[in-house]
Amino acid sequence: MDCIRNRRTIRKYKQDDVSPALLDQLLEDSFRASTMGNMQLYSVVVTRDSQMKERLAPAHFNQPMVTNAPVVLTFCADFNRFSKWCRLRKTEPGYDNLISFLNAASDTLLVVQNFCTLAEAHGLGICYLGTTIYNPDKIIEVLNLPELVMPIATITVGYPDECPAQPDRLPIKGIIHQETYADYESVDIDRIYEYKESLSENKHFVEVNGKETLAQVFTDIRYRKTDNESMSEALLKTLKRQGFLK
Amino acid sequence: MDCIRNRRTIRKYKQDDVSPALLDQLLEDSFRASTMGNMQLYSVVVTRDSQMKERLAPAHFNQPMVTNAPVVLTFCADFNRFSKWCRLRKTEPGYDNLISFLNAASDTLLVVQNFCTLAEAHGLGICYLGTTIYNPDKIIEVLNLPELVMPIATITVGYPDECPAQPDRLPIKGIIHQETYADYESVDIDRIYEYKESLSENKHFVEVNGKETLAQVFTDIRYRKTDNESMSEALLKTLKRQGFLK
């Protein structure tokens, strides 16, 4: 399991293809993840065609991995397949609601992580694109996703052409709680974020952005309240459009 | 990676303890999963105390794993820690919204699956409890979760005291789409669900429940529309209460 401990996100890939047989095998094994009532509430759309990658790229803010990776995978929460089965088997499905969305999204994300672990164990590199839920409408259009299907995560896949440094992680005592959640005092927060704030790349990040603290880089530049609020509105609309919310 | 391919959910555990050092190591390694902007938007609450397990059990419909497993882990989406850091570093966080909840839930579920893989690779057995999002209020109360913290998944952990058969999975052609989502025709649905419907345990399941089709067991007994709708209402209320929705 060293590959989990030593993993790093790969954004630059060799031009070598990922064989369809290997990809199918990795996906098939990833589907062994736990799933709600063994319903397997997910679908995966494989993008290899370069024109399709070009069409997906804007939804991912044109991050170069989307067009440069040999394979782009869009993992979707899917209650469409199961609902169609219900209707063909003389019963009315009742999965056009928020809890069903969250059940399907959970199923999906467990498979995503399983796939990433398997891919990395086979010498592939992956990048998880969090942008999928920022621009779901565009992705729905390009991939032709019907009602009760929502894109949740996009993974770019290929053979690594870089070996970046591993990013820092918070000390585990800042994340693990015993028996009940021990809310954080100022002294705890100082201790938890001390190492991250001490890193020269983060100090540089603060400086070039003309900020006073690293937290301000997050709130003022990377993940802004106004952006989050407009994306939340868009997300609610898309959940309604895809039939998961009234 | 055979342990991913051969995995099965374990609901019966030996009384042997899971050492705190091993648990910490597995969690620490699991935190290597991809995370939005390296924010690590999750917390884990470890339950070992039997009285605490008794208090959690009703939220999980008294499934016996909760009180019988040596360790119960509740993985939570957490924007509380990050927001406290922002406030202590002279800036106002903007993460009290739905997209931030989904970002944190995604981070959390990637860690959950990583943890499960690592635990299984170390000879432990796990059971994923989907009930966590059905009764979040009760869990929030017992674990004392503050605003901007939402329980997402519960995993029971211990050394296996059973080796159940592996459950069926749908054929991968029913889940993987090439380039665009190819919506399902009746003939596709028949083919995808044929094997599942042919299994003697599923036929038995239909019979003992006095139903005509397996799908009816899902819609009428296991995952009913009325339950899903009331749980969706409760989920919306809880997301508001925890500060992720206006």
Side-chain angles (χ1 to χ4, degrees), chain A residues 31 38 40 44 46 78 80 89-91 95 169-170 177 179 181 183 197 212 219 223, chain B residues 31 38 40 44 46 78 89-91 95 169-170 177 179 181 183 190 197 212 219 223:
Chain A
F31 300 156
N38 200 10
Q40 296 188 257
V44 188
V46 180
D78 189 336
N80 168 56
R89 296 297 183 269
K90 305 182 187 176
T91 190
Y95 309 110
R169 288 293 187 261
L170 300 175
H177 302 253
E179 302 300 341
Y181 189 101
D183 206 355
E197 291 171 320
E212 200 183 343
T219 55
Y223 303 99
Chain B
F31 299 156
N38 199 12
Q40 296 188 258
V44 188
V46 181
D78 189 336
R89 295 297 184 269
K90 306 182 188 176
T91 190
Y95 308 111
R169 287 292 188 261
L170 300 175
H177 303 253
E179 302 301 340
Y181 188 101
D183 206 355
D190 285 346
E197 291 172 320
E212 200 183 342
T219 56
Y223 302 100

mmCIF file of all heavy atoms in Angstrom, chain A residues 31 38 40 44 46 78 80 89-91 95 169-170 177 179 181 183 197 212 219 223, chain B residues 31 38 40 44 46 78 89-91 95 169-170 177 179 181 183 190 197 212 219 223:
data_model
loop_
_atom_site.group_PDB
_atom_site.id
_atom_site.type_symbol
_atom_site.label_atom_id
_atom_site.label_comp_id
_atom_site.label_asym_id
_atom_site.label_seq_id
_atom_site.Cartn_x
_atom_site.Cartn_y
_atom_site.Cartn_z
ATOM 1 N N PHE A 31 -15.289 -1.093 -9.395
ATOM 2 C CA PHE A 31 -16.720 -1.247 -9.097
ATOM 3 C C PHE A 31 -16.972 -2.196 -7.927
ATOM 4 O O PHE A 31 -18.109 -2.413 -7.535
ATOM 5 C CB PHE A 31 -17.488 -1.731 -10.337
ATOM 6 C CG PHE A 31 -17.417 -0.800 -11.526
ATOM 7 C CD1 PHE A 31 -17.618 -1.279 -12.822
ATOM 8 C CD2 PHE A 31 -17.155 0.552 -11.370
ATOM 9 C CE1 PHE A 31 -17.558 -0.433 -13.927
ATOM 10 C CE2 PHE A 31 -17.088 1.408 -12.471
ATOM 11 C CZ PHE A 31 -17.288 0.913 -13.749
ATOM 12 N N ASN A 38 -26.302 -2.477 -3.094
ATOM 13 C CA ASN A 38 -25.771 -3.068 -4.336
ATOM 14 C C ASN A 38 -26.494 -2.532 -5.580
ATOM 15 O O ASN A 38 -26.737 -3.268 -6.542
ATOM 16 C CB ASN A 38 -25.818 -4.594 -4.304
ATOM 17 C CG ASN A 38 -24.858 -5.212 -5.321
ATOM 18 O OD1 ASN A 38 -24.031 -4.514 -5.904
ATOM 19 N ND2 ASN A 38 -24.981 -6.507 -5.543
ATOM 20 N N GLN A 40 -25.282 0.133 -7.366
ATOM 21 C CA GLN A 40 -24.263 0.665 -8.305
ATOM 22 C C GLN A 40 -24.779 1.907 -9.050
ATOM 23 O O GLN A 40 -25.027 1.889 -10.248
ATOM 24 C CB GLN A 40 -23.828 -0.408 -9.303
ATOM 25 C CG GLN A 40 -23.123 -1.584 -8.641
ATOM 26 C CD GLN A 40 -22.527 -2.529 -9.676
ATOM 27 O OE1 GLN A 40 -23.078 -3.579 -9.934
ATOM 28 N NE2 GLN A 40 -21.411 -2.160 -10.272
ATOM 29 N N VAL A 44 -19.727 5.806 -15.952
ATOM 30 C CA VAL A 44 -18.448 6.429 -16.286
ATOM 31 C C VAL A 44 -18.432 6.710 -17.785
ATOM 32 O O VAL A 44 -18.713 5.808 -18.584
ATOM 33 C CB VAL A 44 -17.257 5.503 -15.954
ATOM 34 C CG1 VAL A 44 -15.940 6.248 -16.126
ATOM 35 C CG2 VAL A 44 -17.390 4.920 -14.557
ATOM 36 N N VAL A 46 -16.031 7.644 -20.847
ATOM 37 C CA VAL A 46 -14.619 7.642 -21.242
ATOM 38 C C VAL A 46 -14.443 8.595 -22.421
ATOM 39 O O VAL A 46 -15.121 8.451 -23.444
ATOM 40 C CB VAL A 46 -14.177 6.230 -21.680
ATOM 41 C CG1 VAL A 46 -12.700 6.229 -22.093
ATOM 42 C CG2 VAL A 46 -14.451 5.209 -20.584
ATOM 43 N N ASP A 78 -25.730 8.221 -11.019
ATOM 44 C CA ASP A 78 -26.688 7.768 -12.033
ATOM 45 C C ASP A 78 -27.849 7.002 -11.399
ATOM 46 O O ASP A 78 -27.676 5.861 -10.942
ATOM 47 C CB ASP A 78 -25.962 6.877 -13.058
ATOM 48 C CG ASP A 78 -26.832 6.532 -14.273
ATOM 49 O OD1 ASP A 78 -28.071 6.564 -14.159
ATOM 50 O OD2 ASP A 78 -26.251 6.238 -15.342
ATOM 51 N N ASN A 80 -30.645 7.057 -13.358
ATOM 52 C CA ASN A 80 -31.407 6.847 -14.585
ATOM 53 C C ASN A 80 -31.538 5.363 -14.929
ATOM 54 O O ASN A 80 -32.635 4.860 -15.171
ATOM 55 C CB ASN A 80 -30.719 7.597 -15.736
ATOM 56 C CG ASN A 80 -31.259 7.222 -17.099
ATOM 57 O OD1 ASN A 80 -32.458 7.328 -17.353
ATOM 58 N ND2 ASN A 80 -30.381 6.750 -17.992
ATOM 59 N N ARG A 89 -39.978 -3.070 -14.954
ATOM 60 C CA ARG A 89 -40.323 -4.206 -14.085
ATOM 61 C C ARG A 89 -41.536 -3.879 -13.225
ATOM 62 O O ARG A 89 -41.618 -4.261 -12.061
ATOM 63 C CB ARG A 89 -39.121 -4.594 -13.220
ATOM 64 C CG ARG A 89 -37.901 -5.116 -13.980
ATOM 65 C CD ARG A 89 -38.178 -6.399 -14.733
ATOM 66 N NE ARG A 89 -36.961 -6.906 -15.383
ATOM 67 C CZ ARG A 89 -36.601 -6.587 -16.627
ATOM 68 N NH1 ARG A 89 -37.346 -5.768 -17.352
ATOM 69 N NH2 ARG A 89 -35.501 -7.103 -17.142
ATOM 70 N N LYS A 90 -42.462 -3.135 -13.830
ATOM 71 C CA LYS A 90 -43.794 -2.925 -13.235
ATOM 72 C C LYS A 90 -43.776 -2.216 -11.883
ATOM 73 O O LYS A 90 -44.502 -2.611 -10.958
ATOM 74 C CB LYS A 90 -44.519 -4.267 -13.081
ATOM 75 C CG LYS A 90 -44.609 -5.054 -14.371
ATOM 76 C CD LYS A 90 -45.381 -6.340 -14.142
ATOM 77 C CE LYS A 90 -45.325 -7.229 -15.377
ATOM 78 N NZ LYS A 90 -45.971 -8.526 -15.175
ATOM 79 N N THR A 91 -42.918 -1.202 -11.762
ATOM 80 C CA THR A 91 -42.971 -0.424 -10.526
ATOM 81 C C THR A 91 -42.452 0.985 -10.786
ATOM 82 O O THR A 91 -41.697 1.217 -11.737
ATOM 83 C CB THR A 91 -42.189 -1.120 -9.387
ATOM 84 O OG1 THR A 91 -42.454 -0.443 -8.162
ATOM 85 C CG2 THR A 91 -40.689 -1.149 -9.649
ATOM 86 N N TYR A 95 -36.747 8.043 -6.904
ATOM 87 C CA TYR A 95 -35.375 8.475 -6.662
ATOM 88 C C TYR A 95 -35.071 9.858 -7.230
ATOM 89 O O TYR A 95 -33.911 10.196 -7.460
ATOM 90 C CB TYR A 95 -34.413 7.390 -7.190
ATOM 91 C CG TYR A 95 -34.794 6.030 -6.649
ATOM 92 C CD1 TYR A 95 -35.331 5.038 -7.464
ATOM 93 C CD2 TYR A 95 -34.702 5.788 -5.273
ATOM 94 C CE1 TYR A 95 -35.737 3.818 -6.928
ATOM 95 C CE2 TYR A 95 -35.107 4.576 -4.732
ATOM 96 C CZ TYR A 95 -35.623 3.594 -5.572
ATOM 97 O OH TYR A 95 -36.043 2.397 -5.028
ATOM 98 N N ARG A 169 0.589 17.805 4.281
ATOM 99 C CA ARG A 169 -0.704 17.476 4.870
ATOM 100 C C ARG A 169 -0.729 18.014 6.301
ATOM 101 O O ARG A 169 0.331 18.161 6.935
ATOM 102 C CB ARG A 169 -0.954 15.967 4.886
ATOM 103 C CG ARG A 169 -1.251 15.359 3.510
ATOM 104 C CD ARG A 169 -2.588 15.844 2.967
ATOM 105 N NE ARG A 169 -3.009 15.168 1.739
ATOM 106 C CZ ARG A 169 -2.854 15.665 0.502
ATOM 107 N NH1 ARG A 169 -2.268 16.845 0.324
ATOM 108 N NH2 ARG A 169 -3.296 14.988 -0.542
ATOM 109 N N LEU A 170 -1.934 18.307 6.798
ATOM 110 C CA LEU A 170 -2.081 18.772 8.179
ATOM 111 C C LEU A 170 -1.699 17.641 9.132
ATOM 112 O O LEU A 170 -1.850 16.460 8.790
ATOM 113 C CB LEU A 170 -3.534 19.190 8.434
ATOM 114 C CG LEU A 170 -4.078 20.316 7.551
ATOM 115 C CD1 LEU A 170 -5.573 20.533 7.839
ATOM 116 C CD2 LEU A 170 -3.302 21.615 7.758
ATOM 117 N N HIS A 177 -10.597 12.954 15.841
ATOM 118 C CA HIS A 177 -11.188 13.275 17.148
ATOM 119 C C HIS A 177 -11.539 11.978 17.870
ATOM 120 O O HIS A 177 -11.978 11.025 17.231
ATOM 121 C CB HIS A 177 -12.472 14.096 16.966
ATOM 122 C CG HIS A 177 -12.282 15.382 16.214
ATOM 123 N ND1 HIS A 177 -12.318 16.613 16.813
ATOM 124 C CD2 HIS A 177 -12.046 15.617 14.897
ATOM 125 C CE1 HIS A 177 -12.112 17.561 15.901
ATOM 126 N NE2 HIS A 177 -11.947 16.972 14.722
ATOM 127 N N GLU A 179 -13.946 10.008 20.311
ATOM 128 C CA GLU A 179 -15.290 9.914 20.925
ATOM 129 C C GLU A 179 -16.231 11.076 20.567
ATOM 130 O O GLU A 179 -17.349 10.840 20.156
ATOM 131 C CB GLU A 179 -15.222 9.732 22.455
ATOM 132 C CG GLU A 179 -14.418 8.490 22.897
ATOM 133 C CD GLU A 179 -14.974 7.150 22.373
ATOM 134 O OE1 GLU A 179 -16.131 7.096 21.977
ATOM 135 O OE2 GLU A 179 -14.209 6.168 22.334
ATOM 136 N N TYR A 181 -16.378 15.317 18.863
ATOM 137 C CA TYR A 181 -15.658 16.355 18.130
ATOM 138 C C TYR A 181 -15.179 17.408 19.126
ATOM 139 O O TYR A 181 -15.984 18.056 19.802
ATOM 140 C CB TYR A 181 -16.612 16.978 17.115
ATOM 141 C CG TYR A 181 -15.987 17.938 16.118
ATOM 142 C CD1 TYR A 181 -15.701 17.518 14.822
ATOM 143 C CD2 TYR A 181 -15.733 19.268 16.444
ATOM 144 C CE1 TYR A 181 -15.172 18.396 13.875
ATOM 145 C CE2 TYR A 181 -15.204 20.151 15.509
ATOM 146 C CZ TYR A 181 -14.924 19.709 14.231
ATOM 147 O OH TYR A 181 -14.399 20.570 13.296
ATOM 148 N N ASP A 183 -13.961 20.822 19.487
ATOM 149 C CA ASP A 183 -13.869 22.001 18.625
ATOM 150 C C ASP A 183 -12.556 22.736 18.884
ATOM 151 O O ASP A 183 -11.971 22.651 19.966
ATOM 152 C CB ASP A 183 -15.082 22.913 18.831
ATOM 153 C CG ASP A 183 -15.352 23.756 17.576
ATOM 154 O OD1 ASP A 183 -14.559 23.691 16.617
ATOM 155 O OD2 ASP A 183 -16.359 24.480 17.562
ATOM 156 N N GLU A 197 1.925 27.030 6.972
ATOM 157 C CA GLU A 197 2.256 28.453 6.846
ATOM 158 C C GLU A 197 3.764 28.704 6.767
ATOM 159 O O GLU A 197 4.199 29.732 6.246
ATOM 160 C CB GLU A 197 1.656 29.232 8.031
ATOM 161 C CG GLU A 197 0.133 29.291 7.972
ATOM 162 C CD GLU A 197 -0.510 29.862 9.223
ATOM 163 O OE1 GLU A 197 -0.043 29.551 10.338
ATOM 164 O OE2 GLU A 197 -1.500 30.614 9.096
ATOM 165 N N GLU A 212 -1.498 39.384 3.201
ATOM 166 C CA GLU A 212 -0.848 39.389 4.500
ATOM 167 C C GLU A 212 -0.745 37.981 5.083
ATOM 168 O O GLU A 212 0.201 37.653 5.803
ATOM 169 C CB GLU A 212 -1.667 40.298 5.433
ATOM 170 C CG GLU A 212 -0.925 40.795 6.649
ATOM 171 C CD GLU A 212 -1.844 41.640 7.545
ATOM 172 O OE1 GLU A 212 -2.914 42.078 7.061
ATOM 173 O OE2 GLU A 212 -1.497 41.814 8.720
ATOM 174 N N THR A 219 -9.320 32.882 0.557
ATOM 175 C CA THR A 219 -10.624 33.568 0.586
ATOM 176 C C THR A 219 -10.742 34.659 -0.477
ATOM 177 O O THR A 219 -11.835 34.908 -0.984
ATOM 178 C CB THR A 219 -10.873 34.225 1.963
ATOM 179 O OG1 THR A 219 -9.772 35.106 2.255
ATOM 180 C CG2 THR A 219 -11.011 33.185 3.056
ATOM 181 N N TYR A 223 -10.727 30.633 -3.620
ATOM 182 C CA TYR A 223 -12.083 30.117 -3.358
ATOM 183 C C TYR A 223 -12.898 31.226 -2.704
ATOM 184 O O TYR A 223 -13.064 31.247 -1.488
ATOM 185 C CB TYR A 223 -12.011 28.857 -2.484
ATOM 186 C CG TYR A 223 -11.166 27.763 -3.102
ATOM 187 C CD1 TYR A 223 -9.842 27.556 -2.701
ATOM 188 C CD2 TYR A 223 -11.673 26.953 -4.114
ATOM 189 C CE1 TYR A 223 -9.057 26.574 -3.287
ATOM 190 C CE2 TYR A 223 -10.900 25.963 -4.709
ATOM 191 C CZ TYR A 223 -9.598 25.790 -4.289
ATOM 192 O OH TYR A 223 -8.829 24.813 -4.876
ATOM 193 N N PHE B 31 -5.238 10.040 4.260
ATOM 194 C CA PHE B 31 -5.318 11.493 4.025
ATOM 195 C C PHE B 31 -4.469 11.924 2.825
ATOM 196 O O PHE B 31 -4.434 13.097 2.467
ATOM 197 C CB PHE B 31 -4.903 12.282 5.272
ATOM 198 C CG PHE B 31 -5.762 12.022 6.491
ATOM 199 C CD1 PHE B 31 -5.265 12.237 7.774
ATOM 200 C CD2 PHE B 31 -7.067 11.556 6.371
ATOM 201 C CE1 PHE B 31 -6.051 12.003 8.901
ATOM 202 C CE2 PHE B 31 -7.860 11.316 7.505
ATOM 203 C CZ PHE B 31 -7.339 11.537 8.773
ATOM 204 N N ASN B 38 -5.849 21.357 -1.598
ATOM 205 C CA ASN B 38 -5.131 20.879 -0.407
ATOM 206 C C ASN B 38 -5.713 21.472 0.882
ATOM 207 O O ASN B 38 -4.985 21.784 1.820
ATOM 208 C CB ASN B 38 -3.629 21.156 -0.508
ATOM 209 C CG ASN B 38 -2.819 20.279 0.444
ATOM 210 O OD1 ASN B 38 -3.369 19.320 1.016
ATOM 211 N ND2 ASN B 38 -1.560 20.593 0.636
ATOM 212 N N GLN B 40 -8.073 19.789 2.711
ATOM 213 C CA GLN B 40 -8.405 18.674 3.631
ATOM 214 C C GLN B 40 -9.678 18.967 4.432
ATOM 215 O O GLN B 40 -9.643 19.168 5.645
ATOM 216 C CB GLN B 40 -7.233 18.375 4.565
ATOM 217 C CG GLN B 40 -5.995 17.883 3.828
ATOM 218 C CD GLN B 40 -4.924 17.410 4.804
ATOM 219 O OE1 GLN B 40 -3.971 18.105 5.063
ATOM 220 N NE2 GLN B 40 -5.095 16.223 5.358
ATOM 221 N N VAL B 44 -12.455 13.108 11.252
ATOM 222 C CA VAL B 44 -12.860 11.734 11.559
ATOM 223 C C VAL B 44 -13.073 11.620 13.059
ATOM 224 O O VAL B 44 -12.187 12.009 13.836
ATOM 225 C CB VAL B 44 -11.776 10.717 11.140
ATOM 226 C CG1 VAL B 44 -12.307 9.292 11.279
ATOM 227 C CG2 VAL B 44 -11.275 10.992 9.729
ATOM 228 N N VAL B 46 -13.490 8.989 16.045
ATOM 229 C CA VAL B 46 -13.253 7.581 16.386
ATOM 230 C C VAL B 46 -14.110 7.219 17.594
ATOM 231 O O VAL B 46 -14.021 7.872 18.639
ATOM 232 C CB VAL B 46 -11.770 7.347 16.750
ATOM 233 C CG1 VAL B 46 -11.527 5.876 17.090
ATOM 234 C CG2 VAL B 46 -10.855 7.821 15.628
ATOM 235 N N ASP B 78 -15.981 18.837 6.697
ATOM 236 C CA ASP B 78 -15.628 19.822 7.728
ATOM 237 C C ASP B 78 -15.075 21.105 7.105
ATOM 238 O O ASP B 78 -13.950 21.125 6.607
ATOM 239 C CB ASP B 78 -14.597 19.197 8.686
ATOM 240 C CG ASP B 78 -14.329 20.068 9.921
ATOM 241 O OD1 ASP B 78 -14.553 21.298 9.860
ATOM 242 O OD2 ASP B 78 -13.910 19.514 10.951
ATOM 243 N N ARG B 89 -6.838 34.523 10.803
ATOM 244 C CA ARG B 89 -5.811 35.067 9.916
ATOM 245 C C ARG B 89 -6.353 36.244 9.113
ATOM 246 O O ARG B 89 -6.058 36.416 7.933
ATOM 247 C CB ARG B 89 -5.278 33.972 8.976
ATOM 248 C CG ARG B 89 -4.542 32.829 9.665
ATOM 249 C CD ARG B 89 -3.283 33.276 10.381
ATOM 250 N NE ARG B 89 -2.557 32.129 10.961
ATOM 251 C CZ ARG B 89 -2.757 31.671 12.202
ATOM 252 N NH1 ARG B 89 -3.645 32.261 12.998
ATOM 253 N NH2 ARG B 89 -2.051 30.645 12.651
ATOM 254 N N LYS B 90 -7.209 37.034 9.805
ATOM 255 C CA LYS B 90 -7.646 38.335 9.280
ATOM 256 C C LYS B 90 -8.395 38.266 7.952
ATOM 257 O O LYS B 90 -8.156 39.084 7.046
ATOM 258 C CB LYS B 90 -6.433 39.272 9.111
ATOM 259 C CG LYS B 90 -5.614 39.434 10.373
ATOM 260 C CD LYS B 90 -4.470 40.398 10.132
ATOM 261 C CE LYS B 90 -3.520 40.431 11.314
ATOM 262 N NZ LYS B 90 -2.354 41.273 11.080
ATOM 263 N N THR B 91 -9.272 37.267 7.826
ATOM 264 C CA THR B 91 -10.098 37.233 6.623
ATOM 265 C C THR B 91 -11.393 36.485 6.911
ATOM 266 O O THR B 91 -11.468 35.679 7.845
ATOM 267 C CB THR B 91 -9.337 36.604 5.426
ATOM 268 O OG1 THR B 91 -10.106 36.815 4.248
ATOM 269 C CG2 THR B 91 -9.073 35.120 5.627
ATOM 270 N N TYR B 95 -17.659 29.900 3.049
ATOM 271 C CA TYR B 95 -17.884 28.480 2.761
ATOM 272 C C TYR B 95 -19.182 27.947 3.374
ATOM 273 O O TYR B 95 -19.329 26.742 3.558
ATOM 274 C CB TYR B 95 -16.644 27.681 3.212
ATOM 275 C CG TYR B 95 -15.388 28.290 2.626
ATOM 276 C CD1 TYR B 95 -14.451 28.936 3.427
ATOM 277 C CD2 TYR B 95 -15.190 28.306 1.251
ATOM 278 C CE1 TYR B 95 -13.328 29.551 2.876
ATOM 279 C CE2 TYR B 95 -14.075 28.920 0.685
ATOM 280 C CZ TYR B 95 -13.149 29.540 1.499
ATOM 281 O OH TYR B 95 -12.061 30.156 0.946
ATOM 282 N N ARG B 169 -22.066 -8.058 -9.384
ATOM 283 C CA ARG B 169 -21.958 -6.703 -9.926
ATOM 284 C C ARG B 169 -22.555 -6.722 -11.328
ATOM 285 O O ARG B 169 -22.566 -7.766 -12.000
ATOM 286 C CB ARG B 169 -20.497 -6.232 -9.996
ATOM 287 C CG ARG B 169 -19.895 -5.888 -8.639
ATOM 288 C CD ARG B 169 -20.531 -4.654 -8.014
ATOM 289 N NE ARG B 169 -19.867 -4.183 -6.794
ATOM 290 C CZ ARG B 169 -20.296 -4.447 -5.561
ATOM 291 N NH1 ARG B 169 -21.362 -5.193 -5.353
ATOM 292 N NH2 ARG B 169 -19.649 -3.943 -4.512
ATOM 293 N N LEU B 170 -23.040 -5.558 -11.762
ATOM 294 C CA LEU B 170 -23.586 -5.432 -13.120
ATOM 295 C C LEU B 170 -22.460 -5.601 -14.141
ATOM 296 O O LEU B 170 -21.304 -5.285 -13.841
ATOM 297 C CB LEU B 170 -24.240 -4.052 -13.291
ATOM 298 C CG LEU B 170 -25.394 -3.717 -12.342
ATOM 299 C CD1 LEU B 170 -25.848 -2.268 -12.553
ATOM 300 C CD2 LEU B 170 -26.569 -4.669 -12.536
ATOM 301 N N HIS B 177 -19.499 4.176 -20.616
ATOM 302 C CA HIS B 177 -19.957 4.762 -21.880
ATOM 303 C C HIS B 177 -18.751 5.322 -22.631
ATOM 304 O O HIS B 177 -17.855 5.896 -22.007
ATOM 305 C CB HIS B 177 -20.951 5.895 -21.615
ATOM 306 C CG HIS B 177 -22.154 5.479 -20.817
ATOM 307 N ND1 HIS B 177 -23.403 5.331 -21.379
ATOM 308 C CD2 HIS B 177 -22.300 5.170 -19.506
ATOM 309 C CE1 HIS B 177 -24.261 4.956 -20.442
ATOM 310 N NE2 HIS B 177 -23.616 4.849 -19.298
ATOM 311 N N GLU B 179 -17.278 8.094 -25.041
ATOM 312 C CA GLU B 179 -17.429 9.457 -25.596
ATOM 313 C C GLU B 179 -18.702 10.185 -25.157
ATOM 314 O O GLU B 179 -18.620 11.317 -24.692
ATOM 315 C CB GLU B 179 -17.303 9.465 -27.131
ATOM 316 C CG GLU B 179 -15.971 8.902 -27.647
ATOM 317 C CD GLU B 179 -14.713 9.641 -27.144
ATOM 318 O OE1 GLU B 179 -14.809 10.781 -26.704
ATOM 319 O OE2 GLU B 179 -13.617 9.032 -27.182
ATOM 320 N N TYR B 181 -22.838 9.627 -23.303
ATOM 321 C CA TYR B 181 -23.726 8.720 -22.560
ATOM 322 C C TYR B 181 -24.739 8.125 -23.533
ATOM 323 O O TYR B 181 -25.522 8.850 -24.147
ATOM 324 C CB TYR B 181 -24.438 9.527 -21.485
ATOM 325 C CG TYR B 181 -25.252 8.735 -20.480
ATOM 326 C CD1 TYR B 181 -24.741 8.458 -19.210
ATOM 327 C CD2 TYR B 181 -26.541 8.301 -20.759
ATOM 328 C CE1 TYR B 181 -25.486 7.766 -18.271
ATOM 329 C CE2 TYR B 181 -27.292 7.603 -19.822
ATOM 330 C CZ TYR B 181 -26.762 7.343 -18.579
ATOM 331 O OH TYR B 181 -27.505 6.656 -17.640
ATOM 332 N N ASP B 183 -27.926 6.415 -23.816
ATOM 333 C CA ASP B 183 -29.041 6.115 -22.917
ATOM 334 C C ASP B 183 -29.582 4.700 -23.200
ATOM 335 O O ASP B 183 -29.454 4.181 -24.309
ATOM 336 C CB ASP B 183 -30.142 7.175 -23.028
ATOM 337 C CG ASP B 183 -30.956 7.250 -21.733
ATOM 338 O OD1 ASP B 183 -30.736 6.432 -20.817
ATOM 339 O OD2 ASP B 183 -31.832 8.143 -21.634
ATOM 340 N N ASP B 190 -32.687 -5.036 -19.985
ATOM 341 C CA ASP B 190 -32.881 -6.487 -19.811
ATOM 342 C C ASP B 190 -31.547 -7.201 -19.690
ATOM 343 O O ASP B 190 -31.346 -8.047 -18.825
ATOM 344 C CB ASP B 190 -33.653 -7.072 -21.004
ATOM 345 C CG ASP B 190 -35.138 -6.712 -20.952
ATOM 346 O OD1 ASP B 190 -35.599 -6.255 -19.881
ATOM 347 O OD2 ASP B 190 -35.823 -6.876 -21.980
ATOM 348 N N GLU B 197 -31.068 -10.706 -11.785
ATOM 349 C CA GLU B 197 -32.416 -11.258 -11.615
ATOM 350 C C GLU B 197 -32.420 -12.788 -11.593
ATOM 351 O O GLU B 197 -33.348 -13.398 -11.056
ATOM 352 C CB GLU B 197 -33.327 -10.739 -12.745
ATOM 353 C CG GLU B 197 -33.614 -9.248 -12.617
ATOM 354 C CD GLU B 197 -34.345 -8.644 -13.819
ATOM 355 O OE1 GLU B 197 -34.014 -9.019 -14.971
ATOM 356 O OE2 GLU B 197 -35.230 -7.799 -13.596
ATOM 357 N N GLU B 212 -43.618 -9.387 -7.399
ATOM 358 C CA GLU B 212 -43.583 -9.987 -8.717
ATOM 359 C C GLU B 212 -42.205 -9.838 -9.358
ATOM 360 O O GLU B 212 -41.770 -10.696 -10.134
ATOM 361 C CB GLU B 212 -44.643 -9.282 -9.581
ATOM 362 C CG GLU B 212 -45.098 -10.056 -10.805
ATOM 363 C CD GLU B 212 -46.095 -9.238 -11.634
ATOM 364 O OE1 GLU B 212 -46.675 -8.262 -11.096
ATOM 365 O OE2 GLU B 212 -46.273 -9.565 -12.817
ATOM 366 N N THR B 219 -38.307 -0.742 -4.670
ATOM 367 C CA THR B 219 -39.192 0.433 -4.611
ATOM 368 C C THR B 219 -40.227 0.340 -3.492
ATOM 369 O O THR B 219 -40.616 1.357 -2.927
ATOM 370 C CB THR B 219 -39.935 0.632 -5.946
ATOM 371 O OG1 THR B 219 -40.652 -0.582 -6.255
ATOM 372 C CG2 THR B 219 -38.969 0.956 -7.073
ATOM 373 N N TYR B 223 -36.107 0.826 -0.517
ATOM 374 C CA TYR B 223 -35.824 2.257 -0.738
ATOM 375 C C TYR B 223 -37.066 2.921 -1.316
ATOM 376 O O TYR B 223 -37.169 3.119 -2.521
ATOM 377 C CB TYR B 223 -34.602 2.415 -1.666
ATOM 378 C CG TYR B 223 -33.366 1.738 -1.128
ATOM 379 C CD1 TYR B 223 -32.979 0.485 -1.595
ATOM 380 C CD2 TYR B 223 -32.611 2.336 -0.115
ATOM 381 C CE1 TYR B 223 -31.855 -0.154 -1.073
ATOM 382 C CE2 TYR B 223 -31.494 1.701 0.405
ATOM 383 C CZ TYR B 223 -31.121 0.465 -0.077
ATOM 384 O OH TYR B 223 -30.014 -0.171 0.443
#
